[in-house]
Amino acid sequence: MNPPVDGWVPGPFGLDALKGSTVQALRTVLAVAHHVTAATRLADVMPLLETDRRVAVAYTAAPASANTGGLDTHLRDLGGLVLPWRQAISTKWDLVVAAGHGMLEKLHGPVMTVSHGAGPGKLHPRNVGSGPAAARAISDLIRERLVVGGRVVPSSIVLAHDKHLEMLERECPEARPVAFAGGDPCLDRLLASLPYREEYRRALGVRPGRQLVFVSSTWNEDSLFGRHPDLLLRVAAGLPRDRYQVVAALHPNVWSFYGKRQVLAWHADCLRLGVRLFPPEEGWRAGLVAADVLIGDHGSVTCYGAAIGVPVLLGAFPEDAVAPGTHVARLGALAPRVDWGRPLAPQVEDAVHAFTGRVHAAIRGDITSRPGEAARLIRGEMYRLLRLPDRDRLPDVEPVPLPASHGLRAA
């Protein structure tokens, strides 16, 4: 269907909400995505409301990031009603839900924010410039984004852990009264998926007797991929194909910034060697549940892997980018490092012995202090802000989808 000539999307909101209406929703909700990473987290959260016939949900992309490439297409592929930003900021909403920060002060309605990763654990990258260096804020807790024009922007801030509330108190005390510990919906779904591990392995084509090695890189120059652009080729060449199968996930910002065609072209040689490269939207979580060993860095995927019981090898770990005392710092203190000058296969085998159930549980406990409760707590907060009674039936924690239609292979 072609969009209207003026770019304005009709729907159950604004002054013309009743025109064309079949089901008259009591409340309207806007889901705001700043990048693909945020959109994937919203896909965990918004279904908590979308099944309620009292509520109508629309989506929009906030033009507040350098990594918005592919975002509009992804939102439309989700099948939701997608509004242009100009219309979103010109409409009154009963609730705005975002998994990122930036320009949220332009929206009309109470704003609830959730984390789009494994919680605050990294320091925000330092800007390039000629002025003197200064202390860096903790990502997800940046004061300049939480407070705009002398007012805290969110009406509610969902953090995964009680200790994150203490970090917020230090970084931006004005925002602490609207924050609460609501758990981590992504980690809850990963844990709910563990009983189906063999199904994920079958979907990935893992043959009996082979180990599944998951390679993960966050974005930026200090990431694993940033430091080793030939990363996947090195891993594939260093692990015998009769004993290992390699899958990989690059941070969605890599795909957004360079484009899917470029990323796939860079890795065409790896794909020919049998590496499976997950697309940025989904598939990596199924791969993580199925994995035997993870080679990663200081990104959220590496932390999630360690939290659900996957032994981790750190191929890169920039100490100066990690916030002290966080789950990321604990992972850096416990996980062995890859020595890229030595054969890789023995290091992968040894990684299994570096982790115990107690270590995995400690990292898991660092990420969330409300295990298994995120769906219930977040949904309850959304209904509070909507001024609607919550539903009686507790929300289900859905396992992550099978990766069959998401993996990218060489032809």
Side-chain angles (χ1 to χ4, degrees), residues 129-189:
S130 58
R136 290 184 288 170
I138 299 174
S139 294
D140 283 0
L141 305 178
I142 300 174
R143 177 184 175 82
E144 290 79 6
R145 296 181 181 177
L146 293 171
V147 178
V148 177
R151 187 174 295 278
V152 176
V153 175
S155 297
S156 181
I157 301 171
V158 184
L159 297 171
H161 204 289
D162 291 322
K163 67 180 181 182
H164 298 159
L165 301 177
E166 299 173 6
M167 295 167 65
L168 179 63
E169 179 74 41
R170 296 193 299 269
E171 298 288 318
C172 184
E174 299 91 338
R176 175 61 185 86
V178 299
F180 77 104
D184 187 313
C186 181
L187 180 56
D188 285 352
R189 292 192 67 191

Side-chain angles (χ1 to χ4, degrees), residues 208-247:
R210 296 174 82 188
Q211 289 196 61
L212 185 64
V213 178
F214 189 113
V215 182
S216 169
S217 175
T218 187
W219 66 290
N220 221 325
E221 293 180 353
D222 58 8
S223 69
L224 181 52
F225 181 48
R227 293 190 174 183
H228 303 284
D230 61 346
L231 167 69
L232 298 186
L233 185 61
R234 295 177 70 172
V235 173
L239 297 176
R241 294 181 67 179
D242 61 335
R243 294 166 49 202
Y244 301 94
Q245 181 173 328
V246 179
V247 296

Side-chain angles (χ1 to χ4, degrees), residues 264 267-277 408-410:
L264 291 178
H267 293 96
D269 48 2
C270 311
L271 299 177
R272 284 191 290 269
L273 290 175
V275 174
R276 185 183 182 117
L277 182 59
L408 298 172
R409 292 183 184 272

Side-chain angles (χ1 to χ4, degrees), residues 6 8-24 28 87 90-92:
D6 62 359
W8 216 256
V9 176
F13 34 75
L15 296 176
D16 293 329
L18 297 181
K19 292 183 179 179
S21 175
T22 301
V23 176
Q24 295 185 18
T28 57
Q87 182 177 1
S90 302
T91 304
K92 187 175 181 180

Side-chain angles (χ1 to χ4, degrees), residues 28-76:
T28 57
V29 179
L30 181 69
V32 182
H34 290 77
H35 34 65
V36 172
T37 312
T40 60
R41 182 52 53 87
L42 290 174
D44 286 335
V45 173
M46 299 317 298
L48 298 172
L49 285 180
E50 287 173 318
T51 55
D52 191 334
R53 292 181 179 85
R54 298 174 296 174
V55 177
V57 178
Y59 290 78
T60 194
S65 170
N67 298 291
T68 56
L71 178 56
D72 282 334
T73 299
H74 175 57
L75 290 179
R76 296 185 194 286

Side-chain angles (χ1 to χ4, degrees), residues 292-315:
D292 293 297
V293 177
L294 189 154
I295 300 174
D297 54 18
H298 60 308
S300 291
V301 175
T302 310
C303 295
Y304 280 136
I308 67 170
V310 183
V312 168
L313 267 171
L314 293 174

